[in-house]
Amino acid sequence: MDGTHDLGGKQGFGPIQVQHEYLAFEHYWEGRMWALAQTTRNPHLTIDWFRHLVECLEPQAYLTMPYFEKWAMAHLAGLTMSEVFTTAQIIEGTCNKTNERPPDATLEDVLVSARNKSRTFQLKSTIAPAFKTGDIVHTLSHGKRGHTRLPGYMRARQGKILSHHGAHSFADEGAKGLEMAQHLYTVVFSARELWGNEASKIDTVSAELWESYLVSA
Amino acid sequence: MANFDSDEAAKIHRHLHAHMPSDPALRIKALESLAVEHGMVSPKTLDAWVEAYSEHIGPKRGALVVAKAWLEPEFKTHLLKDAASAIAVIGYEGHATGDLKAVENSENSHNLVVCTLCSCYPFGLLGISPPWYRSAAYRARVVREPRKVLTEFGVNVPASVAVHVWDSTAELRYLVIPQRPAGTDNWSQEALAAIVTRNSMIGTDRDLSLETV
């Protein structure tokens, strides 16, 4: 979707609020949200559907809401659409249930679970890739409804296939709860192709793009 | 059953945003209360997850990987070829590192990572992302004016050094391998890891100081 989330290249933002040191959570509620996201299971919540739920926030809310609050709103909207909670229960802050809780996990348990979260999104495909490393490609010139991962600033541009990653779970379908394999490539663009002569002649910007975002040059 | 409809999601968002208390602490408390009442999770388990990412999983992991790559050519080759399997050798695999690419800085090139569409980050290797990484300003600006953004981090990249920006639009995550600074011969892996800054592994730091971070 042509949403506010598609920020690459937008102008008017001020300087970066630089931080050098590591601080996992600035606020208590940030840590709680992170932990909830790691543990609260919603069977329909693929990574892509979660991202799309964040994108569906109203533009002004998207730009002003703290990061982890956006996560909360995405989870709550997703749980509503999966009919786990109603909006009335969410606004009230209780579902009036006292279901049995799963056992408490210790730090050691959690460190094992955290390690087990590693997964590849690569999938087997019987379809041959349309492009190979070094091929010149063009990107699609238009956006589409729903979730998609071709950034606006990379549309209708010419790039080069830097590498092929095999087939990966296609985000556009993942956001509809489906798993579909599609070839994925890292495509490199010269900065001048994207931004004109204001950019350095030697700089590049690359992104991972699925095959259906690309056409032969 | 979820219908994955964008308009319905937007409608629910508008309703909840208008009617829930505006404080993010209260909104997240509401989600926690509902999840606990529903039997999805126990509060003590949530405490353990917070502790894991506050004290155990963080950028020290990435720094140790970089130091190991500086010291062991075979490990570095493995890391550059298949970073996901290389970090698993030392037990550092985790959230959002199952598809991972290591990119190496040199005298002639500098690498810089962003996610313009959301805020994708290799959490299992670098911990929770810094607030600036998720900011609209960084996401918007760094693909268009990377050199200007870098000066705000105190990094001046000479015009002759190419800046390569990696916008992580799919599930591939990036780890920047900064250059090993001169004057660190015979340093141990632990001593080397101590000078690798978090920002250098994202690309917003370049010339590492010999002072321990």
Side-chain angles (χ1 to χ4, degrees), chain A residues 61-117:
Chain A
Y62 185 91
L63 283 174
T64 50
M65 233 184 230
Y67 176 69
F68 283 112
E69 186 184 351
K70 281 189 240 183
W71 281 33
M73 300 311 276
H75 276 274
L76 289 166
L79 287 162
T80 304
M81 290 179 78
S82 293
E83 296 172 2
V84 179
F85 302 122
T86 64
T87 53
Q89 288 173 332
I90 292 168
I91 291 161
E92 207 178 324
T94 176
C95 60
N96 296 311
K97 281 184 183 163
T98 47
N99 290 353
E100 197 182 332
R101 294 175 192 173
D104 295 339
T106 64
L107 175 66
E108 287 67 33
D109 297 334
V110 163
L111 289 171
V112 172
S113 303
R115 216 176 141 177
N116 290 339
K117 281 193 180 272

Side-chain angles (χ1 to χ4, degrees), chain A residues 5 9 16 32 51-53 62 69 94-95 99 104-105 115 120-121 149 153 195 203-204 206 208, chain B residues 6 13 27 37-38 42 45 47 93 99 128 139-140 143-144 147 152 163-165 167 169 171 174:
Chain A
H5 70 282
I16 312 295
R32 298 315 273 183
R51 289 193 187 120
H52 191 53
L53 284 165
Y62 185 91
E69 186 184 351
T94 176
C95 60
N99 290 353
D104 295 339
R115 216 176 141 177
T120 176
F121 285 78
R149 298 290 284 185
Y153 75 94
W195 313 115
D203 292 352
T204 67
S206 302
E208 279 69 59
Chain B
S6 307
H13 274 317
R27 291 180 168 192
E37 285 177 24
H38 198 271
S42 83
T45 299
D47 295 342
E93 73 275 27
D99 299 288
I128 305 300
R139 288 166 51 194
V143 287
R144 185 165 195 146
R147 291 165 186 270
E152 290 166 26
V163 175
H164 301 301
V165 181
D167 187 355
T169 44
E171 296 306 330
Y174 284 88

Side-chain angles (χ1 to χ4, degrees), chain A residues 122-139:
Chain A
Q122 197 172 352
L123 297 172
K124 285 200 170 70
S125 172
T126 51
I127 301 165
F131 306 109
K132 61 180 188 304
T133 301
D135 284 356
I136 304 295
V137 290
H138 284 162
T139 52

Side-chain angles (χ1 to χ4, degrees), chain B:
Chain B
M1 177 56 202
N3 61 18
F4 304 100
D5 183 77
S6 307
D7 292 338
E8 192 180 335
K11 189 176 156 196
I12 291 167
H13 274 317
R14 286 194 296 273
H15 185 71
L16 290 178
H17 189 47
H19 292 96
M20 286 185 83
S22 60
D23 184 350
L26 295 178
R27 291 180 168 192
I28 288 160
K29 181 68 196 161
L31 175 58
E32 178 174 339
S33 300
L34 289 160
V36 170
E37 285 177 24
H38 198 271
M40 290 174 177
V41 69
S42 83
K44 283 205 168 119
T45 299
L46 298 175
D47 295 342
W49 276 97
V50 173
E51 189 184 352
Y53 274 86
S54 299
E55 309 292 335
H56 299 275
I57 300 171
K60 285 183 178 166
R61 290 188 163 194
L64 210 70
V65 169
V66 169
K68 191 175 167 69
W70 285 344
L71 288 170
E72 299 172 24
E74 274 183 29
F75 179 76
K76 186 171 160 184
T77 304
H78 187 181
L79 187 68
L80 288 169
K81 190 168 177 240
D82 182 358
S85 85
I87 66 164
V89 170
I90 40 178
Y92 283 176
E93 73 275 27
H95 192 54
T97 61
D99 299 288
L100 187 69
K101 175 80 183 158
V103 287
E104 191 184 11
N105 288 347
S106 74
E107 279 177 26
N108 307 318
S109 68
H110 184 78
N111 294 284
L112 189 52
V113 182
V114 64
C115 168
T116 62
L117 295 174
C118 42
S119 302
C120 298
Y121 194 72
F123 297 105
L125 194 59
L126 299 183
I128 305 300
S129 56
W132 57 257
Y133 181 86
R134 325 158 195 153
S135 71
Y138 182 79
R139 288 166 51 194
R141 293 179 54 210
V142 81
V143 287
R144 185 165 195 146
E145 45 181 17
R147 291 165 186 270
K148 194 170 174 204
V149 167
L150 283 168
T151 61
E152 290 166 26
F153 284 85
V155 177
N156 290 294
V157 180
S160 60
V161 173
V163 175
H164 301 301
V165 181
W166 304 89
D167 187 355
S168 37
T169 44
E171 296 306 330
L172 192 72
R173 300 287 162 269
Y174 284 88
L175 172 72
V176 176
I177 307 178
Q179 285 177 283
R180 180 175 174 173
T184 56
D185 292 351
N186 304 317
W187 281 33
S188 69
Q189 184 172 304
E190 287 67 31
L192 288 168
I195 62 166
V196 178
T197 62
R198 184 265 317 275
N199 288 2
S200 74
M201 294 182 281
I202 307 171
T204 54
D205 190 7
R206 179 166 169 87
D207 295 317
L208 297 175
S209 157
L210 298 195
E211 301 287 321
T212 299
V213 290

